[in-house]
Amino acid sequence: MSDGAILTRGSGSGESLSDVVVAVLQRRILSGEIPIGTWLRHGALAEELGISRTPVREALRILAAQGIVTIAPNRGAQVNGQSGQDIREIGEVRAELEGFASELAADRMDDAQIKRMTGSWETFRESLGRSPSEQAEQWAISNEEFHSVILEAAGNPYLSLTINELRRRLPHNLSFAAYAGNSRLITRNLKEHEAIADAILSQDGPRARRLMAAHIRTSIDATARRVEQAAGETPRR
């Protein structure tokens, strides 16, 4: 998905524009498109993304608070990046919390939420024969809907706040870059979602928790390995 499409979609999703810019920059940094050490300039980014400097400035402040960039007065922000270890440590926490959310959702999900959960991946399945860019865009939409409706159904606002903060540090839609061009990995990812949905529909909370935690760990490991390879590091086994 293009960054312009991300900005357009994000503006109507309830996210602030600065949060959407954070996600765009995180994706670029983690993919190696923006190398570690690069200086990010407010004006240049605002012009490229077609937005004002204010959300760019706020996005860089968020990234600085996360340790991903270092802001220098009158120079901009220099990229520090996230290591594979950083990504795995965030993922360990997210796996446990999203697993817990799935267990709660198994008892609490209503009919409308069930329809959204199952419909998200039926829609993605229909995109499998399309171009890689169309497939990536549909995956991002379906993945967002699937995880968000489970968290919504869990019905715990404190759990939602904690998970959303972790997603700000490491957006969950980054993992598709590690799957792109590999139909086996994409199919495996789809089957993992279907298995989680089946456990929730069966009201088997412990199984839903176990499957979601394993799914998050798999996705995080794929992202971490991609970052390590881009940095020329040996991926951890």
Side-chain angles (χ1 to χ4, degrees):
M1 183 189 304
S2 69
D3 290 338
I6 292 172
L7 289 167
T8 299
R9 184 170 62 85
S11 65
S13 68
E15 290 181 287
S16 69
L17 190 52
S18 59
D19 282 339
V20 179
V21 175
V22 167
V24 168
L25 294 177
Q26 282 177 319
R27 178 187 61 76
R28 290 183 177 185
I29 292 167
L30 289 171
S31 70
E33 183 182 339
I34 299 178
I36 292 173
T38 300
W39 284 94
L40 302 175
R41 318 287 181 182
H42 300 81
L45 283 171
E47 183 177 354
E48 178 191 351
L49 297 173
I51 57 178
S52 71
R53 293 189 181 203
T54 300
V56 172
R57 189 176 295 110
E58 179 58 27
L60 293 177
R61 287 198 192 104
I62 292 170
L63 292 173
Q66 296 171 0
I68 297 174
V69 304
T70 299
I71 295 176
N74 303 316
R75 292 201 65 187
Q78 189 172 34
V79 175
N80 303 321
Q82 284 179 315
S83 68
Q85 183 65 23
D86 293 330
I87 292 168
R88 287 189 172 91
E89 288 174 354
I90 294 171
E92 286 172 352
V93 181
R94 262 190 53 196
E96 294 304 316
L97 294 179
E98 294 206 35
F100 179 43
S102 298
E103 183 172 20
L104 294 177
D107 284 330
R108 301 176 180 178
M109 186 172 284
D110 63 27
D111 291 347
Q113 290 165 335
I114 287 172
K115 184 175 180 179
R116 286 165 54 198
M117 179 181 69
T118 56
S120 66
W121 286 98
E122 289 170 1
T123 302
F124 176 66
R125 187 190 299 280
E126 294 171 0
S127 75
L128 292 178
R130 300 176 190 166
S131 69
S133 61
E134 290 177 309
Q135 191 178 106
E137 182 168 356
Q138 186 56 58
W139 185 90
I141 295 169
S142 295
N143 194 55
E144 176 70 31
E145 177 73 351
F146 182 82
H147 286 274
S148 294
V149 73
I150 290 173
L151 187 54
E152 176 189 305
N156 187 315
Y158 300 101
L159 183 60
S160 295
L161 283 170
T162 306
I163 290 175
N164 286 331
E165 175 57 29
L166 291 172
R167 288 179 178 177
R168 281 166 66 94
R169 293 181 178 275
L170 187 67
H172 57 286
N173 278 335
L174 289 172
S175 57
F176 189 79
Y179 303 148
N182 190 322
S183 59
R184 291 188 304 125
L185 291 181
I186 293 171
T187 299
R188 184 185 70 184
N189 184 263
L190 176 59
K191 288 180 177 178
E192 288 173 1
H193 281 85
E194 291 174 334
I196 294 165
D198 180 69
I200 291 173
L201 291 172
S202 301
Q203 294 186 292
D204 188 341
R207 180 161 66 98
R209 182 173 190 162
R210 184 176 65 254
L211 290 171
M212 177 62 87
H215 167 66
I216 296 293
R217 291 190 191 101
T218 298
S219 298
I220 288 293
D221 186 63
T223 301
R225 285 174 174 272
R226 187 170 184 271
V227 168
E228 288 164 343
Q229 289 168 350
E233 303 172 8
T234 301
R236 196 180 77 179
R237 295 186 180 276

